[in-house]
Amino acid sequence: MGRTPITVAYGDGIGPEIMEAVLHVMERAEAPVDPETIQIGKEQFEAGWTSGIPDEAWESLRRTGVFLKAPITTPQGGGYKSLNVTIRTTLGLYANIRPSMSYHPFISTKHPDMDLVVVRENEEDLYTGIEHRQTPEVVQSVKLISRPGSERVIRHAFDYARENDRKKVTCITKDNIMKLSDGLFHQVFEEVAEEYPEIETEHQIVDIGLANIADRPQHFDVVVLPNLYGDIASDIAAQISGGVGLAGSSNIGDQHAMFEAIHGSAPDITGKGIANPSGLLHGAVQMLQHIGEPETAERIHNAWFKTLEDGVGTPDIAQGEGVSTMDFARAVADRLGQEPGQIEPVRYAKQERKSKNYVPPQVFDRPNDVKRELTGVDVHVCADDIEAEDLGQQLEAAAGAGWSLSVITNRGANAYPQSGDKVFTTDHWRCRFYPSGDDVLTNGDIRRLLEVVEAAGLDWIKVDNLYDFDGIPGYSEAKK
Ligand code: NAD
């Protein structure tokens, strides 16, 4: 069997120390990989690459399709792009998988029975970086959830459960509040779940869902979440299992995959030779599974368990003084072929590695024949020092008989027509118009509305068209 080329980055801070330790264990385990090194991170940021990744690094990443990455130091100050976000979006790494289990009684935890896997959507949601300051007083971040993006991460979570003999998948959203965005993620979850009848499913609202993960993690098996909730859930799970120094993660796309520790470059302990290489080692174990080397992954993982059981650990997890990073790696390598006595050994099944030219099946239920009908418009206006009543009357006078001003809200609360107590207001007003007659509404009608609003001296800053999809409103109702 040939060796699999992999791209390796030693990273910053403790990165080189833990990467050296992990490569030592892989070499001693005779893992059939051919590592090639790329330089990314702090020095490349300082050399002028705004995302910390030079062109030649991309060439290696694209060619091997498999990336083992040590942590990177994110430079302070503006002008830099997040290296991790750039890699995820450029290589299409849509699913982030983080297993968190307890190693009781060898690593202290309040949850000896926990063994859960967080599958986090990795590209969308509030992480698209679409933000605007719209008025002197108000900024917005766009939360973007797509049907194809949701479908492929949710499908990945179910496939992961099936391949790893997991029994239940829990979806966590806030769809009682964000009925359209989180509602879509939840709806796609229910649709995909039907294709996996042997797997139990449930849905929890994010506030109680994350409280449950923190309080009784043993209830969960596989958990799938949109990006932001997934980010938070995976750190909670890692922390309560014994600490962020232990967990590794995979970032999976159709053609590429990246494996890493979940912690950062730990500048406070850099150069001391005491960093724990376990998180990156777990990333490497997931990588070996991914490239179709489950036996080597299993041997390393069980040797690591045995090392813990024998009481060997770096200072962050040791009962006593602890050993150095490299001594810990040598201790793991010395135990290759041994199995733990108390912790249940892991068993990895053979998984088919997708070829580099793999084209995913077109599974998305693309709603091509949906009838989209323009029914109204939200015109956002910047105005300070004005009463809602005055703004409403000015807009109605400007718009004329062809339009009906249904409502004006400020920060989502109804300001006009005033139906109860006067609401607290800022300089950012959302003004919802519907046409008065039955004629078909066009973008031209909206342009003319904006012209008359502007001519009346009102400063419109943004427009959201209101559409019905197959007769169902594709926008939230104004709050009462
Ligand atoms: P950090 O995870 O580096 O450190 C937090 C604490 O945990 C520190 O006390 C550190 O000593 C300890 N720690 C972390 N890893 C350890 C290990 N393997 N062994 C023993 N102790 C360990 O978080 P931070 O200090 O917030 O971030 C430092 C830098 O890392 C920042 O520049 C940050 O942006 C970056 N970072 C990078 C990644 C990544 O590349 N994936 C992830 C997180 C943070």
Side-chain angles (χ1 to χ4, degrees), residues 446-467:
I446 292 173
R447 278 197 301 275
R448 284 184 283 282
L449 173 65
L450 296 177
E451 275 168 23
V452 293
V453 166
E454 204 170 308
L458 295 165
D459 184 10
W460 64 269
I461 48 165
K462 184 177 88 137
V463 178
D464 286 317
N465 288 1
L466 307 180
Y467 294 105

Side-chain angles (χ1 to χ4, degrees), residues 339 344 468:
E339 300 225 326
E344 199 180 329
D468 282 3

Side-chain angles (χ1 to χ4, degrees), residues 14 69 71-74 84 260 263-269 275-276 316:
I14 58 167
K69 174 181 152 290
I72 303 291
T73 299
T74 314
N84 277 329
E260 61 183 341
H263 59 73
S265 56
D268 52 337
I269 56 165
N276 189 344
D316 56 312

Side-chain angles (χ1 to χ4, degrees), residues 306-374:
K306 183 74 172 85
T307 313
L308 288 191
E309 282 191 357
D310 289 347
V312 183
T314 43
D316 56 312
I317 54 167
Q319 308 291 346
E321 226 173 64
V323 299
S324 73
T325 308
M326 267 320 279
D327 281 346
F328 182 75
R330 281 189 273 270
V332 175
D334 289 345
R335 286 164 178 76
L336 286 163
Q338 298 181 33
E339 300 225 326
Q342 284 192 56
I343 301 175
E344 199 180 329
V346 288
R347 299 282 174 244
Y348 290 128
K350 179 94 185 158
Q351 286 169 20
E352 213 49 47
R353 184 178 177 204
K354 291 171 185 144
S355 105
K356 268 209 67 234
N357 302 320
Y358 169 76
V359 179
Q362 187 64 41
V363 288
F364 312 129
D365 176 18
R366 293 215 176 226
N368 285 332
D369 51 357
V370 172
K371 185 161 176 276
R372 182 164 61 97
E373 190 189 353
L374 184 61

Side-chain angles (χ1 to χ4, degrees), residues 16-284:
E17 300 165 46
I18 58 174
M19 182 59 85
E20 196 192 337
V22 167
L23 292 178
H24 173 78
V25 177
M26 287 213 291
E27 255 171 57
R28 295 265 307 269
E30 296 178 0
V33 293
D34 249 339
E36 59 183 59
T37 304
I38 56 168
Q39 310 295 335
I40 59 170
K42 196 163 172 278
E43 279 182 21
Q44 284 62 40
F45 277 115
E46 284 163 7
W49 301 96
T50 51
S51 61
I53 311 166
D55 288 347
E56 58 271 21
W58 284 117
E59 192 281 318
S60 171
L61 289 170
R62 292 209 168 88
R63 183 163 33 77
T64 67
V66 183
F67 184 23
L68 183 62
K69 174 181 152 290
I72 303 291
T73 299
T74 314
Q76 302 288 316
Y80 299 113
K81 284 200 259 176
S82 160
L83 182 145
N84 277 329
V85 172
T86 305
I87 291 179
R88 279 180 212 151
T89 47
T90 308
L91 301 181
L93 308 178
Y94 55 81
N96 183 300
I97 294 116
R98 268 193 202 182
S100 287
M101 65 176 288
S102 89
Y103 308 104
H104 177 79
F106 306 101
I107 293 178
S108 149
T109 170
K110 294 184 191 129
H111 306 284
D113 301 327
M114 79 176 280
D115 179 8
L116 65 83
V117 179
V118 173
V119 178
R120 160 188 170 193
E121 196 287 315
N122 221 10
E123 295 179 299
E124 302 191 342
D125 193 8
L126 282 159
Y127 287 61
T128 57
I130 307 173
E131 296 194 290
H132 308 93
R133 179 172 175 181
Q134 297 202 311
T135 66
E137 291 177 352
V138 175
V139 294
Q140 70 166 19
S141 292
V142 176
K143 178 175 165 104
L144 214 146
I145 304 269
S146 78
R147 174 170 273 274
S150 304
E151 184 172 339
R152 58 184 185 169
V153 70
I154 290 167
R155 200 172 284 285
H156 192 90
F158 278 99
D159 286 342
Y160 181 96
R162 191 175 261 176
E163 284 164 13
N164 292 279
D165 203 24
R166 300 258 173 183
K167 309 290 180 226
K168 181 168 70 175
V169 181
T170 304
C171 175
I172 293 184
T173 73
K174 187 78 181 174
D175 68 343
N176 55 331
I177 301 294
M178 281 158 282
K179 296 186 167 68
L180 288 182
S181 53
D182 282 20
L184 176 61
F185 195 87
H186 185 182
Q187 185 191 330
V188 172
F189 174 77
E190 300 294 344
E191 291 168 15
V192 173
E194 286 184 16
E195 296 170 33
Y196 299 80
E198 79 281 15
I199 295 172
E200 190 191 333
T201 60
E202 67 172 356
H203 173 266
Q204 296 195 13
I205 296 294
V206 67
D207 30 11
I208 191 64
L210 296 191
N212 283 333
I213 289 181
D215 188 41
R216 45 190 192 106
Q218 68 280 5
H219 168 84
F220 297 90
D221 198 347
V222 174
V223 189
V224 64
L225 318 86
N227 206 341
L228 177 61
Y229 314 144
D231 196 359
I232 300 167
S234 54
D235 265 35
I236 293 175
Q239 184 71 25
I240 63 171
S241 76
V244 289
L246 298 175
S249 80
S250 342
N251 295 267
I252 303 288
D254 286 328
Q255 265 109 32
H256 297 87
M258 175 173 86
F259 304 86
E260 61 183 341
I262 70 165
H263 59 73
S265 56
D268 52 337
I269 56 165
T270 297
K272 296 186 176 160
I274 55 167
N276 189 344
S278 300
L280 188 59
L281 192 65
H282 277 134

Side-chain angles (χ1 to χ4, degrees), residues 137 386-389 391 407-430 479-480:
E137 291 177 352
I386 192 166
E387 293 291 332
E389 192 68 25
L391 179 62
V407 68
I408 299 177
T409 65
N410 196 297
R411 299 186 311 154
N414 279 22
Y416 176 85
Q418 195 182 327
S419 50
D421 292 341
K422 204 170 148 196
V423 296
F424 178 86
T425 58
T426 66
D427 56 2
H428 188 272
W429 307 83
R430 189 263 306 259
K479 279 189 220 147
K480 292 283 179 276

